[in-house]
Amino acid sequence: MTADQDGSGTAACGEPELSDSLKTFGAVLKALREAGGLTQEECAARVRYSAAYVAKIEQGKRFPPEALPGRAEEALGPVAGKVLAAAARSLRRKAGLASWFLQWAGIEEEAITLYAYECRGIPGLLQPEGYIRAVFDRRLPPVTEEQLEREVAARLDRQQLLTQRPNTAFSFVIEQALLERSLGGAEVTRNVIDHLLDVGSQRNVEIQVMPLRQEDHTGVDGQMYLAERPGHQWIGYVEGQRSSSLITAPNDVSVLLQRYGRLRSQALDCRATVSLLEQMRGAL
């Protein structure tokens, strides 16, 4: 995506055509909604998504979830459902790999459970602004100031999920090495630790640190994200250098769930994580 980011702190590759197509899809949805005489809030209630989520789809900022055309048919009629289904199929064909983060962002917003294991950078949902800027400042090729500000704002906006979805259970396992690296310097690292302590105090958020020494480490194959959708279907998400993909095959998702469960048992529990974070902060 030309102006969007992946879920963990690195840029996903993209193409302008996808951004334009998303805006077109959003404009079609808006036109159908207005033709049906519904406000954004009324339409959101009928398609069973939040008004903020529907607004982002109409603005071309979110990839439409798979269930949207079917729900729109219930709310706006069979013609609207068919139009949106055709538009969504075309969008997916054009998107290719570049679509995956936008799809994942939509999955995040409707998830009832979200798991994340990171060994490369602090998860995007947990990054304070100073850390976000430190990541983007070091990215190659460099970006313009305008693009940087747009991407910082987009990432901070996504983080509202943690407070806007109090009934979603968030779990994060983060390698201690990411904090020891001190990306951006001591002050940035101090802000990261303070932010983790603050966010980790929320009832719906669990943050665990994987200690530097752990002989029984199950995360050697790299980072992973997992989301449970409202229909209790689990989906995985992984990424590499300028590429990413969703994992939907039940057998493959089961593997990731098993590995994540083992990682949680191997990491420090939440209380021990707080103690370690406070100790690390005091040493800065």
Side-chain angles (χ1 to χ4, degrees):
M1 287 65 64
T2 56
D4 215 322
Q5 303 301 312
D6 64 37
S8 61
T10 58
C13 59
E15 49 192 283
E17 184 182 12
L18 175 59
S19 177
D20 293 341
S21 298
L22 282 171
K23 290 178 182 178
T24 299
F25 183 94
V28 170
L29 174 60
K30 181 179 179 180
L32 290 169
R33 170 179 63 76
E34 291 178 343
L38 298 179
T39 66
Q40 213 167 62
E41 291 74 16
E42 290 169 339
C43 181
R46 295 195 184 190
V47 297
R48 303 188 295 283
Y49 295 115
S50 71
Y53 189 21
V54 170
K56 288 177 180 177
I57 295 173
E58 289 190 357
Q59 294 162 10
K61 295 180 178 179
R62 286 292 183 270
F63 200 99
E66 292 182 9
L68 178 59
R71 296 184 186 184
E73 182 173 346
E74 298 173 9
L76 301 171
V79 173
K82 290 180 180 179
V83 169
L84 290 175
R89 285 194 298 271
S90 175
L91 190 58
R92 290 188 181 92
R93 283 197 299 270
K94 292 178 181 178
L97 286 175
S99 74
W100 288 128
F101 177 68
L102 290 177
Q103 286 186 286
W104 180 251
I107 291 168
E108 276 186 336
E109 294 197 14
E110 63 175 355
I112 59 176
T113 309
L114 187 69
Y115 294 159
Y117 164 65
E118 267 296 354
C119 54
R120 308 161 314 159
I122 302 300
L125 290 175
L126 298 180
Q127 296 176 2
E129 184 173 345
Y131 185 91
I132 297 173
R133 292 184 180 278
V135 170
F136 289 165
D137 282 342
R138 290 157 177 77
R139 187 171 60 184
L140 295 173
V143 297
T144 65
E145 194 67 26
E146 179 182 359
Q147 185 178 357
L148 185 147
E149 294 301 326
R150 185 169 62 245
E151 293 174 350
V152 168
R155 185 159 298 178
L156 291 173
D157 179 63
R158 281 184 53 238
Q159 294 176 4
Q160 295 181 38
L161 283 176
L162 298 172
T163 52
Q164 290 178 345
R165 296 190 63 83
N167 298 119
T168 294
F170 295 89
S171 169
F172 301 91
V173 176
I174 305 168
E175 291 287 341
Q176 182 181 344
L178 302 180
L179 299 168
E180 298 284 0
R181 182 175 300 148
S182 198
L183 178 69
E187 186 60 30
V188 169
T189 302
R190 187 177 295 111
N191 290 338
V192 170
I193 292 175
D194 287 343
H195 190 63
L196 293 178
L197 289 169
D198 180 50
V199 174
S201 67
Q202 295 177 204
R203 185 176 294 110
N204 64 325
V205 179
E206 289 187 354
I207 298 175
Q208 296 176 255
V209 169
M210 180 69 74
L212 287 175
R213 289 184 172 274
Q214 174 51 273
E215 295 182 1
D216 297 321
H217 197 307
T218 312
V220 294
D221 284 341
Q223 54 84 241
M224 71 180 88
Y225 287 76
L226 288 150
E228 181 185 12
R229 307 182 86 167
H232 305 295
Q233 173 196 18
W234 283 89
I235 294 179
Y237 173 82
V238 295
E239 62 181 26
Q241 294 280 347
R242 297 181 63 79
S243 65
S244 54
S245 62
L246 293 179
I247 298 175
T248 58
N251 289 347
D252 294 332
V253 175
S254 175
V255 169
L256 296 187
L257 283 168
Q258 291 178 53
R259 292 178 181 176
Y260 191 81
R262 184 64 60 85
L263 283 168
R264 292 180 78 174
S265 71
Q266 294 165 343
L268 300 176
D269 64 29
C270 294
R271 291 186 179 182
T273 290
V274 169
S275 297
L276 176 62
L277 291 175
E278 291 175 341
Q279 177 184 342
M280 293 180 70
R281 191 189 189 287
L284 290 172

